[in-house]
């Protein structure tokens, strides 16, 4: 595989990372064990399929040009056994033990001298369930690209990928240097001139959306302890769709309203005063074009006030729907969420030295990350073992204590809650509030029956 410069946003994620704020995405995939398939079999299969994914054999190294830049290089000493490991869980409730361990493993930054990813096979004492925890550095992929990379371990996708790989090997592509040629330099200069204007416009939008008054809910803001806790919830996807049909908007609007209501319910249960201003959610939006380049991060985001102060669930949904409609009308180049677009316009040196400032400024822009991760609609398996659920996990911004990620698979919406372990020791209560909130919203919409 040829070398490839890190795109500006990838470089930003690479330099934003600290020991207390690892910048990796994650997912906990839960499977039902098939007869005759043992943990050693699964570990070997997992390693073989991960090693066959070209991007997972690449590591990051600094380059001379552009100044401050970095590039992906093939790891000549690549050893998949450094990345794929197994952990035997103690006896007890499998999901409770798996989520506890996943939280602890998510605390640990990925080694920067190796390809930045890890996979863990988690299994117990023969209860018919096992899980795979996947960690991918955000510089490696955004949510959509992470799914495309991680999906290579599944039976259905690995088989297709192997067939396509055979075709590609008959027409090899010569290595491409990361050093630009003269025509590329001229093109880069013209792009940079045009990018200055775009950067000024996006930057002004970000500044206008920033807050100087950072007083807000203490539930969502905390000094980082460097610890991580994971909690999960499941929602019925058909109920979400029926609420959407009854009330309008999108399924994502319904899920955002569920998150807002769950936060309200949770804050009240823990005796916390509701914030005077709605907490801000950063809702990532993919800028990836159909058929465009698959590598790198292509993100912007919308900024949405979560109406936790509104006591009526239906009105919360209306407020979310209205807010997201307004965001979409303005487009992804406006508001605090456009900071990711701004990162695409900055030179490499700015990311190298400006990352600490950018990390500290996150609190001025938003309070919580709420992201939806698309998954394949077809049934998936690993070594013939059916996939039951995938709980996505998002990284925490500096100064913030909670990130929410959602994905839909097998007729269920799986919710992954990642929190600072010391700031939110009662994260399981929030997971329960998420499920309860959907039930309340369903009850307020008479045309939505209970799931069978």
């Amino acid at each position: 595989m040829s070398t490839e410069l890190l795109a500006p946003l990838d470089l930003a994620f690479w330099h934003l990372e600290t020991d207390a704020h690892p910048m990796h995405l994650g997912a906990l995939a839960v499977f039902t064990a098939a007869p005759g398939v043992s943990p050693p079999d699964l570990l070997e299969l997992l390693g073989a399929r991960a090693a066959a994914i070209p991007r997972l054999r690449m590591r990051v190294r600094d380059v001379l040009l552009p100044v401050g830049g970095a590039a992906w290089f093939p790891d000549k000493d690549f050893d998949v056994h450094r990345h794929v490991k197994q952990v035997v869980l103690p006896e007890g409730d499998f999901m409770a033990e798996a989520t506890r361990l996943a939280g602890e493993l998510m605390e640990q930054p990925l080694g920067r001298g190796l390809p930045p990813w890890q996979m863990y096979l988690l299994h117990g004492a023969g209860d018919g369930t096992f899980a795979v925890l996947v960690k991918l550095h955000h510089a490696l992929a955004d949510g959509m690209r992470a799914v495309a990379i991680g999906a290579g371990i599944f039976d259905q996708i690995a088989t297709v990928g192997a067939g396509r790989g055979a075709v590609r090997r008959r027409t090899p592509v010569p290595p491409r240097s990361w050093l630009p040629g003269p025509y590329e330099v001229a093109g880069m200069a013209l792009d940079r001139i045009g990018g200055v204007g775009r950067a000024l416009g996006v930057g002004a939008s970000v500044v206008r959306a920033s807050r100087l008054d950072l007083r807000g809910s203490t539930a969502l803001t905390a000094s980082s302890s460097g610890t991580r806790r994971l909690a999960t919830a499941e929602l019925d996807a058909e109920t979400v769709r029926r609420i959407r049909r009854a009330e309008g908007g999108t399924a994502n609007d319904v899920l955002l309203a569920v998150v807002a209501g769950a936060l309200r319910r949770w804050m009240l249960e823990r005796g916390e005063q509701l914030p005077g201003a709605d907490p801000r959610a950063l809702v990532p939006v993919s800028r990836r074009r159909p058929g465009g380049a698959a590598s790198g991060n292509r993100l912007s985001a919308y900024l949405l006030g979560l109406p936790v102060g509104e006591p009526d669930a239906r009105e919360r949904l209306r407020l979310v729907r209205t807010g997201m409609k307004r965001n979409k009308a303005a487009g992804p180049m406006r508001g605090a969420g456009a900071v990711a677009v701004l990162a695409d316009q900055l030179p490499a040196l700015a990311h190298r030295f400006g990352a600490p400032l950018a990390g500290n400024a996150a609190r001025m822009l938003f309070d919580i990350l709420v992201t939806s991760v698309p998954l394949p609609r077809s049934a998936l398996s690993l070594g013939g073992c059916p996939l039951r659920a995938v709980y996505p996990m998002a990284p925490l911004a500096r100064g913030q204590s909670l990130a929410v990620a959602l994905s839909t698979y097998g007729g269920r919406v799986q919710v992954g809650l990642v929190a600072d372990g010391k700031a939110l020791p009662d994260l399981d209560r929030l997971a329960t509030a998420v499920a309860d909130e959907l039930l309340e919203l369903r009850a307020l919409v008479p045309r939505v029956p209970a799931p069978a």
Side-chain angles (χ1 to χ4, degrees), residues 104 146 247 387 433 452:
E104 294 177 0
E247 296 295 305
L387 176 67

Side-chain angles (χ1 to χ4, degrees), residues 207-215 280 363-365:
V207 170
R208 286 195 298 269
S210 301
R211 300 172 298 187
L212 297 179
D213 183 359
L214 299 183
R215 292 173 295 177
R280 287 178 164 189
R363 180 70 186 89
M364 298 174 63
L365 300 176

Side-chain angles (χ1 to χ4, degrees), residues 151-216:
I153 69 171
F154 294 113
D155 298 337
Q156 295 77 6
I157 297 170
T159 302
V160 172
R164 290 176 178 169
V167 174
R168 284 197 297 268
R169 283 193 293 270
R170 288 198 295 268
T171 55
V173 178
R176 179 179 183 273
S177 172
W178 50 266
L179 288 171
Y183 292 105
E184 290 177 293
V185 169
M188 290 166 62
L190 291 174
D191 287 344
R192 182 59 61 193
I193 292 171
V196 169
R198 290 192 297 271
L200 289 174
V202 175
S205 177
V206 171
V207 170
R208 286 195 298 269
S210 301
R211 300 172 298 187
L212 297 179
D213 183 359
L214 299 183
R215 292 173 295 177

Side-chain angles (χ1 to χ4, degrees), residues 82-162:
R82 293 175 177 172
H83 301 269
V84 178
K85 304 174 183 179
Q86 71 170 326
V87 181
V88 180
L89 300 177
E91 292 186 6
D93 182 277
F94 177 83
M95 279 305 299
E97 291 295 334
T99 53
R100 176 194 60 78
L101 181 62
E104 294 177 0
L105 292 172
M106 289 296 287
E107 294 176 7
Q108 304 170 11
L110 293 161
R112 295 176 77 84
L114 298 171
W117 64 275
Q118 291 280 350
M119 292 185 189
Y120 297 87
L121 174 65
L122 313 179
H123 61 91
D127 66 349
T129 303
F130 69 91
V132 175
L133 173 65
V134 180
K135 293 168 56 175
L136 298 173
H137 199 285
H138 214 330
L140 184 67
D142 55 26
M144 291 185 68
R145 180 60 176 157
V147 170
I149 293 173
I153 69 171
F154 294 113
D155 298 337
Q156 295 77 6
I157 297 170
T159 302
V160 172

Side-chain angles (χ1 to χ4, degrees), residues 34 113 142 267 321 401 418:
D142 55 26
M267 291 177 185
R321 188 172 64 244
S401 56
V418 175

